[in-house]
Amino acid sequence: MSRTLDQFKARFGASGDIRLSRAPGRVNLIGEHTDYNGGFVLPLAIDRSVDIIFRPRGDGKVRLWSVLYEREETFELGRIEKSDDQPWTNYVKGVAVALREEGVRPGGMDALISGAVPLGAGLSSSAAFEVAAAQAFIQCAGVEIEPERLARLCQRAENEFVGVKCGIMDQFVSIFGRRGAAVLIDCMDLSHELVPLDDRAVSILICNTMVRHELGSSQYNIRRRQCETAAREMARHKPGAKLLRDFTWDEFEQWGGELSTTLRMRARHVIGENRRVGQAVQSLRRGDYEAVGARMNESHASLQSDYEVSCIELDVMSAEARKLPGVYGARMTGGGFGGCAVALARAGTEADVASALSQRYEEATGIKPEIYACRPAEGARVEPAT
Ligand code: GLA
């Protein structure tokens, strides 16, 4: 941290109260494309975060420096416009707008942004950025906001200002993540519980295909609409049902045949995935990692053939991972169309799995992946910058 603090001081001066707002990325174990259907997800915060070193300023201006892009941008809180030229600033601006809509007047600041969440890798760098920015603004304003409200307003910033219709999972777990646990979230009412994942006998591997998921956001919005249509059509049999979450697997088997082929595939994924999350949580609590891995493999197959959000690189990565000794299961994680796979493996096999998988993946695709073990980490916080 001290190097980025030095950069901050060199750029913005060393005086005053300098703080650090830190928000982690996430990896989702299971429960993909279920959040915006009111369903269940099981993500964990990872030990890679977006870091904003900041100091309040009293004139309503926000001065940003991105270490990654080596670019500066200054804007006034009273006059916020979306930037086409520097799209990375829109996460901060969107959060400021969302705060204002909540009746909070965000405080101005000097801010230096750095971090270790890879961009476009499906580890939710954008949600981490929004949460880190929101925490900084709130501190500068000298107010407090309940964590759940914070998650929702960060989601709204992304939905409305940035223009990606994401669900609530990423922002929520960036705030509510805890060391040693995955977070089971019911996205219908945001009730949640921690599921212990601190067993030293098991390890989580993040396998970055290094393929960016740019195609993702238009397809993402299309999937969302298809799910809404499928739910509306099935609701003919179940008045009051609004989202795919409202249907059980038995109901899908009864009525799903009336949907068009595409809508049936989408609904089958979502309703099946909700059921798999419940099964995976029970298995995880029992320490039955074989069973958790089996559900992860099924999740991947469903995302690949029914939801159609995987890609060849994610398929290769997951399939090759599954063949290796010590791997219980593997699947794509996040929105899809690139980004990362997640694998569950027996502890002690990480190094062998990583090297064999790197080699096989590179042979098959010509791309050098990044593979590393991670542990569930704490959610977002603000601390003095040191
Ligand atoms: C992206 C979105 C999340 C979620 C996942 C898919 O990460 O931001 O809200 O929908 O895709 O599970």
Side-chain angles (χ1 to χ4, degrees):
M1 180 48 50
S2 59
R3 237 191 82 233
T4 38
L5 180 57
D6 290 343
Q7 277 178 283
F8 179 94
K9 288 179 178 168
R11 185 156 291 276
F12 297 118
S15 63
D17 176 14
I18 305 174
R19 289 172 238 174
L20 166 66
S21 175
R22 171 166 271 190
R26 63 98 188 92
V27 66
N28 188 17
L29 265 193
I30 194 161
E32 215 66 83
H33 288 277
T34 46
D35 60 352
Y36 52 84
N37 289 299
F40 297 93
V41 293
L42 188 65
L44 49 117
I46 57 174
D47 42 12
R48 293 188 170 216
S49 56
V50 169
D51 296 340
I52 302 183
I53 300 181
F54 68 100
R55 179 180 50 215
R57 32 188 304 158
D59 60 359
K61 278 196 182 140
V62 178
R63 257 181 90 195
L64 304 173
W65 173 258
S66 162
V67 172
L68 178 66
Y69 297 116
E70 298 190 323
R71 297 277 301 268
E72 176 166 334
E73 167 106 332
T74 302
F75 66 93
E76 302 213 6
L77 286 167
R79 242 196 13 235
I80 297 179
E81 278 163 25
K82 196 169 168 179
S83 170
D84 296 329
D85 174 38
Q86 301 216 66
W88 61 274
T89 63
N90 291 331
Y91 296 102
V92 183
K93 292 172 177 171
V95 163
V97 170
L99 278 165
R100 224 171 32 207
E101 287 166 1
E102 288 279 310
V104 176
R105 203 202 261 222
M109 60 179 166
D110 293 326
L112 181 132
I113 300 135
S114 65
V117 191
L119 304 181
L123 299 178
S124 177
S125 54
S126 38
F129 193 8
E130 288 148 11
V131 171
Q135 285 189 145
F137 275 134
I138 291 165
Q139 286 254 324
C140 293
V143 295
E144 279 184 20
I145 289 192
E146 314 80 77
E148 190 178 311
R149 200 168 144 219
L150 189 67
R152 283 194 193 277
L153 80 86
C154 288
Q155 181 199 14
R156 216 176 50 240
E158 181 141 355
N159 288 170
E160 290 170 14
F161 197 85
V162 179
V164 179
K165 304 279 174 220
C166 65
I168 188 74
M169 167 171 69
D170 305 346
Q171 290 82 1
F172 195 89
V173 71
S174 183
I175 294 169
F176 285 89
R178 287 293 167 266
R179 196 185 309 281
V183 191
L184 172 65
I185 310 165
D186 179 341
C187 298
M188 191 70 113
D189 60 7
L190 291 190
S191 57
H192 57 282
E193 57 184 279
L194 297 179
V195 180
L197 195 52
D198 53 358
D199 182 351
R200 291 276 154 190
V202 74
S203 198
I204 298 150
L205 292 173
I206 294 179
C207 316
N208 192 342
T209 62
M210 309 304 275
V211 179
R212 298 276 301 253
H213 62 178
E214 265 133 19
L215 221 178
S217 68
S218 55
Q219 288 298 320
Y220 188 93
N221 294 347
I222 292 172
R223 294 296 178 286
R224 253 194 110 130
R225 277 202 303 277
Q226 290 170 333
C227 289
E228 284 157 13
T229 311
R232 227 179 7 253
E233 292 191 9
M234 284 182 32
R236 280 201 294 259
H237 298 283
K238 194 174 182 182
K242 291 204 167 48
L243 296 168
L244 286 178
R245 150 67 187 274
D246 295 318
F247 299 94
T248 63
W249 182 255
D250 287 348
E251 289 168 342
F252 171 74
E253 290 201 312
Q254 240 178 297
W255 307 321
E258 294 168 20
L259 299 170
S260 71
T261 308
T262 306
L263 295 188
R264 188 165 61 243
M265 285 157 62
R266 306 302 187 240
R268 184 163 53 210
H269 166 70
V270 173
I271 297 170
E273 185 80 351
N274 276 332
R275 192 166 67 152
R276 281 188 287 276
V277 175
Q279 294 165 340
V281 167
Q282 283 184 11
S283 305
L284 205 55
R285 289 196 188 282
R286 282 198 309 267
D288 182 352
Y289 303 121
E290 297 280 355
V292 179
R295 299 294 87 72
M296 291 170 74
N297 296 343
E298 288 163 12
S299 166
H300 186 89
S302 172
L303 288 157
Q304 181 183 357
S305 47
D306 273 347
Y307 216 64
E308 298 180 297
V309 291
S310 188
C311 62
I312 196 79
E313 292 84 359
L314 284 168
D315 294 343
V316 168
M317 187 72 93
S318 313
E320 291 302 330
R322 272 176 224 135
K323 293 180 195 160
L324 295 170
V327 174
Y328 296 113
R331 56 180 289 277
M332 56 158 275
T333 187
F337 299 102
C340 292
V342 58
L344 195 69
R346 200 173 56 240
T349 64
E350 300 89 341
D352 289 346
V353 169
S355 84
L357 186 53
S358 294
Q359 197 186 338
R360 291 180 181 199
Y361 178 78
E362 193 175 348
E363 268 164 26
T365 62
I367 306 168
K368 215 179 198 22
E370 273 178 11
I371 300 173
Y372 44 87
C374 80
R375 295 251 155 233
E378 279 295 303
R381 66 193 177 278
V382 176
E383 55 197 45
T386 49

